[in-house]
Amino acid sequence: CHHGGASMDVLRALPGRRVLGVQLSDVPAERPADFAQATRRGRLVPGDGVFDWKVFLRTLDAIGSRAPLTVEVLNDALAAAHPPHVLAKRLGDAVRVLLGR
């Protein structure tokens, strides 16, 4: 949505039942030069970038979406820097912070 050209208006126009699942990851302020590589191997932890989570999550709620939220942070540097259990906790904590807002 942030670098892809879609807007929240597209999401607002959907009936919530049409949203079957939501994969969470964040984005840097500037579109990466190698956008394809960034989406495959450089995603950010939710809350570490500039995506407007408050508006996004409120929009999901407003359309009545009950879709499960999952984390999809494909990031080689994070995976190399942290054991899986540490990274899983960090990602879970990040999502809990977003949902608590």
Side-chain angles (χ1 to χ4, degrees):
C1 201
H2 185 76
H3 293 304
S7 72
M8 283 300 162
D9 292 335
V10 173
L11 181 58
R12 281 185 196 100
L14 289 174
R17 64 181 163 66
R18 297 275 315 270
V19 181
L20 303 177
V22 179
Q23 297 174 323
L24 309 176
S25 63
D26 218 324
V27 296
E30 297 296 320
R31 182 183 169 108
D34 188 345
F35 186 66
Q37 177 64 18
T39 61
R40 288 190 307 269
R41 296 289 174 219
R43 296 182 188 189
L44 302 179
V45 173
D48 283 0
V50 298
F51 189 73
D52 193 341
W53 292 106
K54 188 178 197 178
V55 169
F56 180 75
L57 293 170
R58 285 186 177 172
T59 301
L60 285 175
D61 189 49
I63 66 171
S65 173
R66 298 297 171 245
L69 302 177
T70 61
V71 181
E72 188 177 71
V73 176
L74 307 173
N75 187 306
D76 291 341
L78 282 174
H82 304 287
H85 70 283
V86 172
L87 185 53
K89 182 176 182 330
R90 180 174 176 201
L91 295 172
D93 289 347
V95 172
R96 282 186 283 281
V97 166
L98 293 179
L99 294 175
R101 291 183 185 164

